[in-house]
Amino acid sequence: MQKLLSNLKITINEKLYVKDPETSELGRNILKNSIILIDEIGFEAFTFKKLGEKIQSNESSIYRYFENKHKLLVYLTSWYWSWIEYRMAFATTNISNPVEKLEKAIILVTENVVDDNATPHINEGILSRIIVEEFTKTLMTKEVDNENKEGFFLVYKRVINRIIDIIKEVNPEYPYAKSLASNIVEGSLHQHFLKNHLKTITNLSEKECATEFYTDMAKKILL
Amino acid sequence: MQKLLSNLKITINEKLYVKDPETSELGRNILKNSIILIDEIGFEAFTFKKLGEKIQSNESSIYRYFENKHKLLVYLTSWYWSWIEYRMAFATTNISNPVEKLEKAIILVTENVVDDNATPHINEGILSRIIVEEFTKTLMTKEVDNENKEGFFLVYKRVINRIIDIIKEVNPEYPYAKSLASNIVEGSLHQHFLKNHLKTITNLSEKECATEFYTDMAKKILL
DNA sequence: TATAAATTGATAGTATTACTATTATATTTG
DNA sequence: CAAATATAATAGTAATACTATCAATTTATA
C-alpha cells in the first residue's frame, strides 16, 4: 500500500503476494531492487538468488514475499497500471470537453515516464521501461485465463475501460471503441519498444514519445 | 488462400539453425511437432527433451538441428512471416489501385489463418496461433539488438516495409507510415490474443478477425 | 520485563532445465 | 564394400526454481 496524496493508496491484488511487501523494510527493498535488477539483466535472467545477493538478503526470505518471479512481475506491472489509473483519474476529472479528456488520457499512456518522487522505493521511470520490455510476458502465458479469473489484470483492464468510456463520449457511433482503446495502450508500448530496438519500422525517434501518432490516429478515427 | 508454388522453398537465415531442418525426415519432424507441442503446452514449458519423447527421437539429436529453443522459435516465426510475405507479394501484384492493394495487404495480416496444404510438415493454422501467443517473446529479450544485427528479424521487417510502401502510395503526405504499418501488424496479433483471453477489452468476437477494425482505421487515417 | 510470536538468515536438498561429451549403432553414398 | 554421415543412448554439469529445517534476531503483548 502506497500513499500518493495523503489519502490515496495503491492497493494490489492480495493473491499476488505471500506477504505484503509494502509492510516491511525488506519488502520495500525487494520491490525497489527487483525493478532495478529486471531492468538491468532482463526478466529471463532475473532470479531470486541474484536479487538476494543484490540486497544482501537470502533467497528464502524473498520467497516469503513472492511465490515466484512471475507473480512479482505481475505485482510490479499492477502497481504501474494503478499509478497510471490514478493519474488518469486526476488528469481527466472536471474536464467537460470529451476530446480534451481523450487527449489527456492518451498523453498519459503514450508519454515518456519520469520518476515521481512521491514513492521512494518505486522508480516509475525504470518501471516504465520494464513495462515496455516485459509487460506482455505477464499476459502471454498458458495460465492467463486462470490468472485473469483471479483478477491479476483488473487494473490494466480498468485503465483501458476508462479510455473506452471517453472514446464513447467523443463518438458514440464508432463501433470499435474497445479495440481502439486497447490498441492505443498496447500499441504505444510496442512503438516505444521499436524505437529502442527496431528503429526502421517506427516513426518515433530516440527521445520522442508516441503521443502525436496516437492522438492523430484517435482524432482521425473519431472526429 | 493461395498455394505455394510447387518449386518454391522458404529460405530461413542460416544462423538460426545448426543443420537445415528442411533437409531430412527428422528435421521436418522436429518442425512439425515443435509447432504442435508449443501450441499445446506453451513455449515456457516446451523443452527439447519433451519434443524428443513426442517424436521418439533423442534430445541430443534435436540439438544437432537447433542450438536452443529460442532459435527454433525464431526459425518458426521467420518461416511464418516468409509465408505471409510470399502471399502478400502475390495478392498485391498487378493491382494498380493503391487503396485496393492496401486492403489486400491488411487482410493478409489480420485474417484468421487456416492450414495451407502445400506444406505437409508445417500447419499454418497452428503456427499462426503460436505467432499470436509467442511472437513478441522472440523480440523482447536482452539479445534483441544483437539478433537484429544478425538479421533474425529481417523477414518480419520486410513484411512491414511492404505495407509501409503501400501506405505511402495511398497517402504520401501522411507522416507516420512506419508506425501505422507496425501498429497494424503487431496490433492485429494483440487483438487476436485479447479475443481469446481478455474478451472485455476488444470488439472482436470469438471467430471474428481483425480485418474490419484495421481496414476502417487505415482508411479513416489515410483517406 | 518476560515470554511468545513473528521475521529473517543460513544451510541443505530435490527435480527440472539446458545444455555438452562420448560412444555405439544405423544409414547413406561413392 | 568401405567410408562418411546421421542418429540414438547414456552420462554428466551447472543453473534454476523451488521446499524444508533450524537457528538467530527482532517485535509484540501480557
Side-chain angles (χ1 to χ4, degrees):
Chain A
M1 231 169 286
Q2 178 60 46
K3 289 187 174 191
L4 290 170
L5 285 187
S6 48
N7 56 346
L8 234 153
K9 293 163 180 184
I10 282 182
T11 320
I12 306 292
N13 187 331
E14 285 181 13
K15 288 171 184 156
L16 288 173
Y17 50 78
V18 182
K19 185 189 167 178
D20 186 349
E22 294 277 3
T23 60
S24 77
E25 199 57 37
L26 176 59
R28 287 184 293 272
N29 228 257
I30 288 171
L31 296 181
K32 179 177 182 179
N33 287 283
S34 62
I35 292 171
I36 294 167
L37 191 54
I38 292 170
D39 180 55
E40 263 173 37
I41 63 176
F43 186 65
E44 274 69 41
F46 172 85
T47 67
F48 282 179
K49 197 168 185 203
K50 289 174 188 165
L51 178 60
E53 280 156 26
K54 193 179 181 82
I55 64 178
Q56 271 145 243
S57 177
N58 198 274
E59 196 188 1
S60 63
S61 304
I62 299 164
Y63 275 104
R64 282 195 202 93
Y65 285 85
F66 293 99
E67 264 178 63
N68 52 53
K69 68 175 184 172
H70 174 252
K71 285 197 174 176
L72 169 57
L73 183 60
V74 179
Y75 181 100
L76 294 174
T77 59
S78 291
W79 197 99
Y80 178 84
W81 292 115
S82 281
W83 180 71
I84 292 282
E85 186 193 24
Y86 163 82
R87 296 194 311 146
M88 194 180 285
F90 248 79
T92 58
T93 202
N94 294 327
I95 293 177
S96 52
N97 180 356
V99 177
E100 204 183 320
K101 220 192 267 188
L102 184 59
E103 279 172 349
K104 300 264 187 191
I106 290 177
I107 286 170
L108 269 166
V109 295
T110 55
E111 74 184 346
N112 295 321
V113 173
V114 286
D115 190 20
D116 170 341
N117 293 314
T119 50
H121 60 291
I122 309 266
N123 184 317
E124 291 84 1
I126 304 179
L127 183 53
S128 81
R129 290 210 296 265
I130 293 181
I131 298 295
V132 168
E133 310 271 334
E134 323 283 1
F135 173 61
T136 53
K137 294 177 196 168
T138 65
L139 299 175
M140 304 214 166
T141 72
K142 278 284 164 184
E143 291 76 41
V144 61
D145 295 331
N146 283 329
E147 294 186 351
N148 187 35
K149 270 184 209 138
E150 302 261 27
F152 286 17
F153 312 116
L154 260 176
V155 202
Y156 175 63
K157 292 192 286 184
R158 228 155 52 210
V159 168
I160 289 174
N161 276 310
R162 258 179 202 278
I163 301 175
I164 291 171
D165 290 342
I166 303 172
I167 287 171
K168 284 179 178 164
E169 273 187 75
V170 172
N171 182 346
E173 311 300 317
Y174 179 66
Y176 310 113
K178 293 177 182 180
S179 289
L180 180 59
S182 52
N183 182 90
I184 290 171
V185 175
E186 217 295 302
S188 168
L189 299 182
H190 193 64
Q191 292 297 317
H192 282 277
F193 181 85
L194 295 180
K195 93 172 179 198
N196 293 332
H197 302 294
L198 302 178
K199 305 176 183 22
T200 58
I201 53 172
T202 179
N203 291 99
L204 303 204
S205 55
E206 197 155 351
K207 294 194 173 165
E208 210 180 342
C209 70
T211 305
E212 276 181 60
F213 170 59
Y214 283 108
T215 305
D216 175 84
M217 173 186 286
K219 285 187 176 173
K220 284 186 176 142
I221 287 176
L222 297 172
L223 302 180
Chain B
M1 186 80 50
Q2 331 231 352
K3 302 220 160 162
L4 284 175
L5 296 177
S6 50
N7 59 339
L8 201 131
K9 193 199 153 201
I10 282 178
T11 321
I12 306 290
N13 187 333
E14 285 181 12
K15 288 170 183 156
L16 288 173
Y17 50 79
V18 182
K19 184 186 166 178
D20 186 348
E22 294 276 2
T23 61
S24 77
E25 198 58 36
L26 176 60
R28 287 184 293 272
N29 228 258
I30 289 171
L31 296 181
K32 180 177 180 178
N33 286 283
S34 63
I35 292 171
I36 295 168
L37 191 55
I38 291 170
D39 179 55
E40 264 174 35
I41 65 176
F43 186 65
E44 275 69 41
F46 172 85
T47 66
F48 282 180
K49 198 169 184 204
K50 288 174 189 164
L51 178 60
E53 278 157 27
K54 193 181 180 80
I55 63 177
Q56 271 144 243
S57 177
N58 200 275
E59 196 188 0
S60 63
S61 304
I62 299 165
Y63 275 104
R64 277 192 212 94
Y65 285 86
F66 293 99
E67 265 180 62
N68 52 54
K69 69 176 184 172
H70 175 253
K71 285 197 175 176
L72 168 57
L73 184 59
V74 179
Y75 181 101
L76 294 174
T77 59
S78 292
W79 197 100
Y80 178 84
W81 293 115
S82 282
W83 180 72
I84 292 281
E85 186 193 24
Y86 166 83
R87 295 195 312 147
M88 193 180 285
F90 249 79
T92 58
T93 201
N94 294 327
I95 293 176
S96 53
N97 180 357
V99 177
E100 202 184 319
K101 224 193 265 188
L102 183 59
E103 279 173 349
K104 299 265 187 188
I106 291 177
I107 286 170
L108 269 166
V109 295
T110 55
E111 73 184 346
N112 294 320
V113 173
V114 285
D115 189 20
D116 171 341
N117 292 313
T119 50
H121 60 291
I122 309 266
N123 184 317
E124 290 84 2
I126 304 179
L127 183 52
S128 81
R129 290 211 295 264
I130 293 182
I131 297 296
V132 167
E133 310 270 335
E134 321 284 2
F135 174 62
T136 52
K137 294 177 196 166
T138 64
L139 298 175
M140 304 215 166
T141 71
K142 278 284 163 185
E143 290 75 40
V144 61
D145 295 331
N146 284 328
E147 295 187 349
N148 186 33
K149 271 184 206 138
E150 302 261 26
F152 286 17
F153 312 117
L154 261 176
V155 201
Y156 176 64
K157 292 192 287 183
R158 229 154 52 209
V159 167
I160 290 174
N161 275 309
R162 257 178 203 278
I163 301 175
I164 291 171
D165 290 342
I166 302 172
I167 288 172
K168 283 179 178 164
E169 274 186 74
V170 171
N171 183 345
E173 311 300 316
Y174 180 66
Y176 310 114
K178 292 177 183 181
S179 289
L180 180 58
S182 53
N183 181 90
I184 290 171
V185 175
E186 218 294 303
S188 168
L189 299 182
H190 193 65
Q191 292 296 318
H192 282 278
F193 181 86
L194 295 180
K195 95 172 176 195
N196 293 332
H197 303 294
L198 301 179
K199 304 178 184 20
T200 58
I201 55 171
T202 179
N203 291 99
L204 303 203
S205 55
E206 195 156 351
K207 295 196 170 163
E208 210 180 343
C209 70
T211 305
E212 275 181 60
F213 171 59
Y214 283 108
T215 304
D216 176 85
M217 171 186 286
K219 285 186 176 173
K220 283 185 177 144
I221 288 176
L222 298 172
L223 300 181

